[in-house]
Amino acid sequence: MSGSNPEHAGWFTGLDPGDVEAAATAISEGETGEPQNWPEQAVQSGFAGDEDEYYSVLHEATRRATREAVTERERADDQQLTHAVSAMDDAERTANELAERLAEWAGSLERDVPTGIEGARAVASWSPETPVQERVVSLAERVVDLDAERADLRSFVESHAPEVAPNLAAMAGPVLAARLIALAGGLESLAKKPAGTVQVLGAEDALFAHLRGHASSPKHGVIFTHEYVRGTPTENRGSAARAFAGKLAIAARIDHYSGAYKQSVHDDLDDRMATIRSREAGE
Amino acid sequence: MSPSLPDGVERRSFDGRERLATRGEPVYGEPQDDDGWRPWDAGRSKLGAMLELGLDLGLDGGERVLYLGAAAGTTVSHVADFAGPTYAVEFAPRPARDLLDVAASRENLFPLLKDARKPETYAHVVESGLDCIVQDVATRGQGTVALRNNRFLAPDGRLLAAIKARSEDVLSDPADVFPDVLADLRTEYEILDTQRLDRYHDDHLAVVATPK
């Protein structure tokens, strides 16, 4: 087929100059050891009339190849999960920020306005009588909507994460699994990270302060949100975080390289956590 | 004083300040004057910093260039403005999406979503005998990247590399990291000049080299 290149051949070998699709495939998939004077060869072989024409075809073909490759890589499910969990965090942060502003504003009109999203709900149910109240109520409605969007994004993450990373989602919970994937930059990069890195993902500031010699090493990053870490008494929390991160790293690798759910890794972690927690109980 | 700027790069006045500039479509919200010039921010571009610091880069304008680590195309847009055919290699899809926008208005810019550590995956596209390789990759083994891509350079071509110490080893003092990278480079390159870019970019070393 025209898209495949024999060895030591330029991307254009055997291509019809008008076939941009085949050209893009050849650029994406072809390989050769040594570069050559491709523009000259293309002109000699009759692929292009002159160098300008060659470069013009190359321009179109490289843009198409890169666009297709970018779309394909960005559409990957782990990337979608990353966007969803980041959007969820943004929606939550923004809703809270606006709710604070709203509480300030609404508090100047009425007494005893509750704070936070609950306050926004209360204000949204007012019947506005003045132009000012109209604005306040309208803002409250936006905050309530934004909070609903956050909830929808969360359910999307909860349903989507187990499809992308069944072991990781089962072990960490879907939202934490998505956060870990987002912090690592994808499931593949998470699978390639050592457990010690997984343990402190999300604690980069603390980690670099430690590396510069200003602070002790962080025990945990975003995995702190999990019951296994947060629910373990302080003196054993480091051990718990280390054990948990170790199994998370393995779960990510299983998810990336095999994709099948594997019960034994979850049982191992449960055993290990029981041991760590019994330390305190036994003493 | 410093070597002359390549054709297509000029010092122009923007808001009363003399700045490097090239002519082309703006790409990152920078202003454009009435003649189509836009400033080249040395704080956002290592190559811009090298020009600003007066290194002799051997650029005259119109060069055939391979740019490794093009990212979103901030610097490569300026390169394509003054150079000839410019091949831009970037490994990460997200910045490559922005790079595509930069390439849309530049006929001589060829974007490639490829790994600079694997030149065999683009040697069927990028031509040999290039005048210049610009390297700005944030990966461990920056010396190796330069060595592997040596095959694209003409015998009198230039390697213009911004070596990032933190990419090699976050813990070591940059001053200890650079000699190792330079030793790597010397196996196949003659080093013409080096200069720290700290005024614009922390912990970066500019290297100008030519194949041995």
Side-chain angles (χ1 to χ4, degrees):
Chain A
M1 72 168 250
S2 57
S4 67
N5 269 314
E7 254 180 274
H8 311 303
W11 60 276
F12 48 84
T13 307
L15 288 185
D16 170 358
D19 190 348
V20 188
E21 194 179 330
T25 310
I27 285 170
S28 292
E29 294 173 6
E31 277 197 12
T32 193
E34 287 305 314
Q36 293 174 42
N37 191 338
W38 304 128
E40 190 182 273
Q41 287 194 14
V43 173
Q44 272 171 8
S45 70
F47 177 78
D50 55 28
E51 285 206 354
D52 285 348
E53 193 183 314
Y54 168 79
Y55 283 129
S56 158
V57 177
L58 178 63
H59 183 247
E60 203 179 332
T62 49
R63 280 174 60 206
R64 169 126 179 195
T66 304
R67 194 181 319 117
E68 284 172 359
V70 164
T71 311
E72 190 187 329
R73 299 241 317 254
E74 287 204 318
R75 260 193 209 143
D77 283 349
D78 58 337
Q79 294 302 318
Q80 297 308 312
L81 192 62
T82 297
H83 284 302
V85 77
S86 307
M88 180 186 108
D89 288 343
D90 289 348
E92 178 169 357
R93 197 188 57 246
T94 311
N96 285 332
E97 211 170 291
L98 284 175
E100 246 177 83
R101 165 69 47 223
L102 183 75
E104 285 288 315
W105 195 354
S108 70
L109 301 176
E110 293 274 338
R111 294 202 305 154
D112 301 329
V113 179
T115 54
I117 306 292
E118 277 321 300
R121 270 189 237 288
V123 175
S125 65
W126 291 359
S127 327
E129 282 157 16
T130 67
V132 169
Q133 284 179 352
E134 263 173 37
R135 290 334 319 145
V136 171
V137 170
S138 170
L139 182 62
E141 285 165 354
R142 300 293 160 263
V143 175
V144 172
D145 284 352
L146 198 53
D147 184 60
E149 183 59 39
R150 179 204 56 77
D152 289 350
L153 283 163
R154 190 181 180 95
S155 6
F156 174 81
V157 168
E158 282 170 352
S159 67
H160 207 62
E163 286 171 25
V164 173
N167 289 288
L168 198 63
M171 192 178 283
V175 174
L176 177 56
R179 284 220 172 86
L180 288 169
I181 291 172
L183 284 166
L187 182 57
E188 181 174 0
S189 13
L190 184 63
K192 288 179 174 169
K193 292 208 183 302
T197 303
V198 175
Q199 189 179 340
V200 295
L201 273 178
E204 283 74 14
D205 287 350
L207 178 65
F208 283 105
H210 166 62
L211 291 178
R212 281 196 301 270
H214 302 324
S216 57
S217 71
K219 288 193 291 294
H220 38 62
V222 72
I223 62 169
F224 177 72
T225 56
H226 195 273
E227 171 58 21
Y228 271 156
V229 181
R230 197 169 42 184
T232 302
T234 329
E235 54 272 33
N236 289 330
R237 210 172 264 165
S239 308
R242 197 167 61 244
F244 187 38
K247 293 301 178 198
L248 287 172
I250 293 171
R253 285 166 212 168
I254 302 173
D255 287 335
H256 176 64
Y257 293 105
S258 124
Y261 183 79
K262 192 165 178 238
Q263 185 57 45
S264 62
V265 67
H266 302 275
D267 296 342
D268 288 351
L269 177 62
D270 290 344
D271 283 356
R272 180 76 192 122
M273 292 312 297
T275 312
I276 290 171
R277 288 187 170 184
S278 69
R279 272 188 212 162
E280 216 246 342
E283 276 157 14
Chain B
M1 44 161 254
S2 48
S4 58
L5 294 170
D7 287 347
V9 183
E10 286 187 11
R11 286 183 197 282
R12 312 271 298 187
S13 176
F14 292 90
D15 291 333
R17 231 168 25 108
E18 285 280 303
R19 301 176 70 178
L20 288 176
T22 64
R23 242 173 154 161
E25 282 284 309
V27 299
Y28 47 96
E30 73 279 21
Q32 193 179 27
D33 71 14
D34 296 339
D35 301 327
W37 292 83
R38 61 198 181 94
W40 185 350
D41 187 345
R44 298 178 59 156
S45 163
K46 281 130 217 168
L47 190 64
M50 292 185 209
L51 282 170
E52 199 70 85
L53 292 170
L55 270 85
D56 184 0
L57 305 181
L59 295 171
D60 301 317
E63 279 82 7
R64 293 166 191 242
V65 179
L66 170 59
Y67 195 110
L68 304 171
T74 310
T75 301
V76 88
S77 69
H78 290 289
V79 173
D81 285 349
F82 74 81
T86 304
Y87 299 88
V89 172
E90 172 53 43
F91 181 52
R94 177 65 195 89
R97 196 159 96 196
D98 296 335
L99 178 61
L100 281 167
D101 294 336
V102 173
S105 64
R106 291 174 172 82
E107 280 293 318
N108 59 330
L109 180 56
F110 313 116
L112 294 165
L113 187 69
K114 305 277 185 183
D115 185 347
R117 291 168 299 186
K118 298 176 185 159
E120 65 279 6
T121 60
Y122 49 85
H124 65 303
V125 181
V126 178
E127 61 195 87
S128 59
L130 295 175
D131 303 303
C132 178
I133 292 181
V134 182
Q135 178 179 324
D136 181 11
V137 293
T139 166
R140 189 172 293 190
Q142 296 169 88
T144 314
V145 169
L147 296 178
R148 287 189 188 156
N149 283 279
N150 195 357
R151 65 187 83 179
F152 295 103
L153 270 185
D156 61 346
R158 295 290 178 99
L159 168 73
L160 310 175
I163 305 295
K164 183 180 182 185
R166 297 280 174 224
S167 295
E168 295 295 324
D169 186 342
V170 277
L171 294 186
S172 300
D173 184 334
D176 299 334
V177 174
F178 294 138
D180 293 345
V181 178
L182 290 175
D184 271 358
L185 290 179
R186 283 202 183 89
T187 58
E188 287 181 33
Y189 287 96
E190 180 193 343
I191 310 284
L192 301 176
D193 198 3
T194 65
Q195 188 168 339
R196 292 286 289 261
L197 294 176
D198 291 43
R199 211 173 105 198
Y200 297 101
H201 302 275
D202 285 345
D203 305 330
H204 280 77
L205 181 74
V207 178
V208 183
T210 190
K212 265 189 183 165

